[in-house]
Amino acid sequence: MNELFGALGWLIPLGVLFLLFLSGVRIVTEYQNGVVFRLGRYVGLKRAGFRWLIPFIERMVIIDLRTVARDVPPQDVITKDNVSVKVSAVVYFRVMQADKAVLQVEDYLYATSQIAQTTLRAILGQVELDDLLSQRERINHELQQVLDARTGPWGIKVSNVEVKHIDLPLEMQRAIARQAEAERERRAKIIAAEGEHQAAEKLAQAADVLSRNPATLQLRYLQTLVEITGGGNHTILPIPLELLRAFGAVTARPIPAEETREEDEDEDASHGLS
């Protein structure tokens, strides 16, 4: 009996020590860091693997080092040209220094989310609506740089910021639609004018080539008559080109100076008689 009590006297302290040992065991995964405090004072970091803390004396805060994606709620933004829009975004960041993320800020996730909202309103308020719609890549880069600079003292690296959605007022959507329609009409008119200009140049070149050989002009004239009569029942009265040339020469012949002088003298005589 005494031997039993003696064995229990040894087992109980050993059991208590084993339980104390188990209470100090910590397992840190590969994507985590542990920030260790001893009696309230920061003493260092614990990397991935098996770690043991002094029970009731040391405490460890686990920080996740993986990239975190946080949605920025829609923000009411007034652009530089006084247009009210709602803009939402997403922020990608990760903790680079776990000790600063614990020691320098109370809740780094909440703080990063709040500073992302204020930065989004501040940056977008300095650009015009057209730049916000067309230069989104530049705006994303500027947001990333500003956020990274502000969260750097917390040991946080902002890797990317993306503007997801821009909610425009209905009146502004109609105005943009009218602008786009006017732009398309302008391009259509320019294209049509360029086509007319090119067609006129080609016609002038063709006329120059045809005028060099009368036989070529005669063949083209006959081909045109064939094309006209091939489309249906038409009555065509062909006129010889020589007659057309003669008629054109007569109408275009300048009046001799002697005839003009005689006409002027007749007019003067008639005025003198009157």
Side-chain angles (χ1 to χ4, degrees), residues 204-235:
Q205 294 175 5
D208 183 54
V209 173
L210 292 174
S211 63
R212 296 174 187 174
N213 193 342
T216 305
L217 185 60
Q218 182 70 28
L219 292 175
R220 183 58 184 167
Y221 175 66
L222 295 176
Q223 184 181 0
T224 304
L225 293 179
V226 172
E227 292 177 356
I228 294 174
T229 56
N233 296 325
H234 300 282
T235 301

Side-chain angles (χ1 to χ4, degrees), residues 34 39 52 61 65 107 116 118 123 135 148 152 184 236 238 243 248 268:
L39 297 177
W52 186 78
V61 178
L65 302 181
D107 186 348
T118 57
I123 297 298
Q135 301 183 10
D148 191 31
R184 292 191 185 95
I236 304 296
L243 181 60
D268 293 338

Side-chain angles (χ1 to χ4, degrees), residues 35 45 63-65 91 93-119 146-158:
V35 182
L45 293 175
I63 298 297
D64 197 326
L65 302 181
V91 182
F93 62 93
R94 60 176 299 186
V95 177
M96 303 298 294
Q97 296 174 293
D99 52 349
K100 289 186 177 181
V102 174
L103 299 175
Q104 301 298 327
V105 62
E106 180 181 3
D107 186 348
Y108 70 92
L109 292 175
Y110 177 76
T112 304
S113 176
Q114 292 299 311
I115 201 171
Q117 296 179 31
T118 57
T119 303
V146 174
L147 280 176
D148 191 31
R150 293 186 177 181
T151 58
W154 305 339
I156 296 174
K157 172 65 178 178
V158 178

